[in-house]
């Protein structure tokens, strides 16, 4: 299977979300309705219809009317709360939260919203009581040591965060400890302490956001810690030739930026949302990302986090608009544009996405990220030759410093464009430079197997990829396909079936399943596997090509296949 497919990461065990976010409505909480409820029901019906259509803005507009008409309705409050959170309507979410809290039905993340509101009003005593409540509820309790520490910065004396190792959330909370300590040391102006915390955070491979890196670089420069500031901006993609200008720009952009308890809380919720993305079904990561935006609505990293989780939850229009809030002078602007284009692609607006990417490339002359982004969009749109050209231009801009990831993208585009003679040396180079990269091994191994070239080596590469990253549907499929191409059908079939069981809606997996069944003479079963592939195909150029190929195979199934 192509390496461009998203791999499935190992599942994250987060007990704080077990059981869902929305409690059930008990019978006693349902309001009696009489003949005077037509207007209320009309607003509520409109809201539910919009909710069913995943039209967030229409839903919250109707829920505002419904809750205004019937402020005591618990059912309306519950529905309006969740839709308001997803839509980013803090006022409606807070109003609904208070109604639910009065009757003991506040959702799990609602306590965090109450905490945000208390801190926003600088009511430190109320905030401290809500933190105690978080601890007692044991939901999202990993926030407790950090928020107590942040509040102590405001309500003195300062008490640094300590994660109690005996607590069930300890193994989860320590993931965020160094970053939170780093931010607090910067608030205190403690250069040595901040430098030490940064070193520990780097060792833990903390994924600092783009805006966060630039803001902290400005802080470290103010503390005469140029070395740390430079390290932060290098991680944001700034090269040595542009470092002095970038450091000056950082100080200009963020010299007045404040690191507050709300920012600390926002980053904790942002980190949780990103960690859960792709690991938890439904809208839970998006709801958590929205809590981060309620805490710090102006942070660009958090806006991008909302866009990322909205895409995963199926709200591409929300992702597009949220990423659009990032302004052009922000260091995170190009990253935000990538999410806007992904949102367009998810909505089937391929031509608009390509047009957007080309305009961005023209606007950002000789910008490496802009060329790479154009390549990414063209790959998704099925223009492999155009993508190869874009990645080649990006390679030219990097000179001899092209990273393995770019070479893999370039080689992959060339391979999909049918330029195998140019692609293979690049893919071989990537495997040589990154011999333990499961993605690189999978891409080269699959490309060899698909062409029937050097099949023993292809199988060896793919076996190694599966050892490095087991339980990955794409890699399992690739190995099964290599066995199929080597006429080892008995080995191929169980692997492909395992991959299909992991991703039953993946059309390419089902297509491969059908091909293997056909090769084994099981034509009737092959037909159903191919039909399962067709069901999941969309309207993209790539999907149209696969659809044509599958329909041709189905048409070749003999009339008497059902007799098998």
């Amino acid at each position: 299977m192509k390496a461009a497919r998203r791999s499935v990461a190992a599942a994250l065990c987060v007990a704080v979300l077990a059981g869902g976010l929305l409690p059930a409505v008990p019978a006693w909480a349902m309001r009696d309705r009489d003949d005077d409820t037509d207007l209320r029901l009309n607003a509520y019906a409109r809201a539910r219809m919009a909710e069913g259509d995943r039209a967030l803005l229409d839903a919250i507009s109707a829920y505002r009317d419904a809750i205004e008409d019937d402020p005591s309705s618990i059912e309306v409050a519950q529905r309006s709360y969740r839709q308001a959170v997803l839509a980013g309507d803090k006022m409606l979410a807070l109003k609904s939260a208070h109604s639910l809290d009065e009757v003991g039905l506040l959702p799990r993340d609602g306590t965090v919203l109450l905490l945000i509101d208390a801190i926003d009003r600088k009511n430190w005593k109320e905030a401290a009581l809500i933190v105690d409540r978080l601890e007692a509820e044991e939901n999202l309790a990993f926030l407790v040591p950090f928020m107590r520490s942040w509040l102590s910065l405001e309500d003195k004396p300062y008490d640094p965060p300590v994660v109690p190792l005996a607590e069930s959330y300890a193994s989860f909370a320590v993931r965020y400890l160094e970053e939170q300590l780093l931010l607090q040391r910067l608030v205190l102006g403690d250069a040595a302490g901040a430098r030490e915390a940064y070193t520990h955070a780097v060792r833990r491979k903390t994924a600092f956001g783009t805006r966060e890196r630039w803001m902290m670089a400005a802080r470290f420069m103010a503390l005469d810690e140029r070395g740390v500031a430079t390290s932060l901006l290098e991680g944001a993609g700034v090269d040595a030739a542009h470092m002095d200008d970038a450091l000056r720009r950082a100080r200009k952009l963020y010299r007045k930026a404040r690191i507050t308890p709300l920012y600390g809380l926002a980053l904790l919720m942002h980190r949780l949302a990103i960690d859960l993305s792709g690991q938890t079904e439904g809208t839970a990561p998006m709801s958590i990302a929205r809590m981060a935006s309620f805490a710090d609505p102006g942070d660009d990293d958090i806006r991008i986090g909302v866009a990322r989780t909205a895409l995963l939850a199926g709200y591409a229009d929300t992702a597009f608009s949220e990423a659009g809030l990032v302004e052009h002078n922000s260091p995170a602007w190009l990253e935000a544009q990538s999410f806007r284009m992904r949102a367009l692609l998810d909505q089937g607006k391929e031509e608009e996405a390509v047009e957007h990417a080309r305009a961005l490339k023209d606007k950002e002359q000789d910008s490496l990220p802009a060329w790479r982004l154009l390549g990414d969009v063209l790959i998704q749109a099925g223009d492999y030759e155009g993508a190869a050209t874009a990645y080649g231009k990006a390679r030219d801009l990097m000179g001899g410093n092209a990273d393995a990831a770019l070479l893999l993208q370039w080689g992959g585009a060339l391979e999909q464009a049918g330029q195998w003679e140019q692609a293979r040396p690049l893919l071989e180079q990537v495997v040589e430079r990154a011999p333990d990269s499961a993605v690189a091994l999978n891409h080269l191994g699959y490309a060899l197997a698909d062409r029937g070239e050097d099949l023993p080596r292809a199988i060896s590469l793919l076996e190694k990829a599966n050892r490095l990253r087991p339980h990955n549907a794409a890699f399992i499929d690739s190995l099964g396909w290599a066995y199929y191409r080597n006429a080892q059908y008995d080995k191929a079939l169980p692997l492909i079936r395992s991959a299909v069981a992991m991703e039953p809606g993946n059309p390419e997996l089902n297509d491969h399943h059908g091909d293997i069944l056909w090769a084994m003479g099981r034509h009737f079963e092959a037909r159903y596997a191919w039909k399962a592939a067709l069901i999941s195909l969309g309207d993209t150029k790539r999907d149209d090509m696969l659809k044509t190929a599958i329909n041709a195979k189905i048409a070749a199934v003999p009339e008497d296949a059902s007799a098998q």
Side-chain angles (χ1 to χ4, degrees), residues 138-336:
E138 298 184 354
N139 297 321
L140 299 166
F142 80 96
L143 297 170
V144 171
F146 302 115
M147 293 318 301
R148 283 181 176 153
S149 183
W150 279 109
L151 293 177
S152 74
L153 277 170
E154 301 290 343
D155 206 21
K156 312 301 179 196
Y158 171 62
D159 187 17
V162 176
V163 177
L165 296 180
E167 294 292 342
S168 60
Y169 60 76
S171 61
F172 188 69
V174 294
R175 298 160 59 90
Y176 310 133
L177 181 58
E178 287 87 357
E179 181 181 36
Q180 292 286 306
L181 272 172
L182 168 56
L183 294 170
Q184 293 182 2
R185 296 300 183 191
L186 288 174
V187 172
L188 294 168
D190 178 3
R195 184 174 62 249
E196 181 182 7
Y198 173 71
T199 300
H200 288 305
V202 170
R203 287 176 183 165
R204 189 176 285 279
K205 298 183 179 179
T206 300
F208 298 116
T210 302
R211 187 265 184 192
E212 182 185 14
R213 284 181 175 277
W214 282 71
M215 181 273 294
M216 290 196 299
R219 285 287 185 138
F220 274 109
M221 285 295 289
L223 295 172
D224 293 324
E225 292 284 346
R226 181 187 173 95
V228 180
T230 298
S231 174
L232 281 160
L233 293 188
E234 285 175 345
V238 178
D239 58 30
H242 298 91
M243 186 58 68
D244 288 342
D245 288 342
L247 289 170
R248 284 191 292 270
R249 182 185 174 200
R251 296 198 69 172
K252 181 179 180 180
L253 282 173
Y254 298 113
R255 65 177 181 271
K256 295 182 180 180
R258 295 186 64 235
I259 302 174
T260 66
L262 279 177
Y263 180 66
L265 176 56
L267 271 189
L268 286 166
M269 298 304 285
H270 171 68
R271 287 270 174 258
L272 177 60
I274 298 305
D275 282 347
L276 288 175
S277 296
Q279 314 299 330
T280 301
E281 296 293 332
T283 58
M286 184 178 172
S287 291
I288 294 168
R290 279 298 194 190
M291 286 295 161
S293 72
F294 289 159
D296 195 336
D299 186 272
D300 289 336
D301 292 333
I302 289 169
R303 285 170 171 158
I304 290 171
V306 172
R308 182 197 303 270
T309 55
L311 275 176
L312 292 173
Y315 290 98
D317 53 343
T318 299
F320 184 82
S321 59
E322 192 70 22
L325 296 174
V326 178
E327 296 182 356
H328 185 258
N329 69 339
S330 169
W333 186 74
L334 278 172
E335 185 180 3

Side-chain angles (χ1 to χ4, degrees), residues 1-6 384 415-416 442-443 446-447 450 473-474 476-478 480-481 484 496-497 499-500 503-516 529-538 542-543 546-547 550 553:
M1 177 178 276
K2 303 294 185 188
R5 296 189 203 141
R6 189 191 320 165
Y384 305 123
E415 184 257 326
Q416 290 179 282
N442 179 71
H443 206 129
Y446 182 88
D450 203 37
I476 292 169
D477 170 75
S478 294
W481 190 247
Y484 160 76
I496 297 294
R497 282 185 165 168
V500 170
E503 295 185 15
N506 187 310
E508 193 169 348
L509 297 184
N510 282 293
D511 181 36
H512 285 176
H513 188 200
D515 289 349
I516 293 169
W530 288 326
K531 285 189 173 182
L534 289 174
I535 291 171
S536 302
L537 288 171
R542 181 191 296 181
D543 286 348
L546 185 55
K547 196 179 301 182
I550 292 173
K553 287 186 284 191

Side-chain angles (χ1 to χ4, degrees), residues 94-108:
L94 194 58
K95 183 176 182 178
S96 302
H98 284 304
S99 297
L100 295 171
D101 199 30
E102 289 177 2
V103 294
L105 289 172
L106 184 65
R108 298 181 176 205

Side-chain angles (χ1 to χ4, degrees), residues 20-23 44 47 51 56 59-60 63-64 66-67 73-101 105-116 133 140 269 283 287-288 290-291 294:
L21 291 167
L22 191 65
Y44 182 66
E51 183 180 340
L56 284 176
I60 62 169
Y63 275 125
R64 284 195 204 102
I67 206 167
S73 169
I74 301 304
E75 186 178 1
V76 171
Q78 282 195 312
R79 292 284 180 179
S80 65
Y81 172 80
R82 183 56 55 206
Q83 291 297 297
V85 169
L86 293 175
D89 189 325
K90 182 179 177 181
M91 290 184 62
L92 181 58
L94 194 58
K95 183 176 182 178
S96 302
H98 284 304
S99 297
L100 295 171
D101 199 30
L105 289 172
L106 184 65
R108 298 181 176 205
D109 54 349
T111 309
V112 177
L113 181 58
L114 298 182
L115 176 60
I116 291 168
R133 174 176 170 178
L140 299 166
M269 298 304 285
T283 58
S287 291
I288 294 168
R290 279 298 194 190
M291 286 295 161
F294 289 159

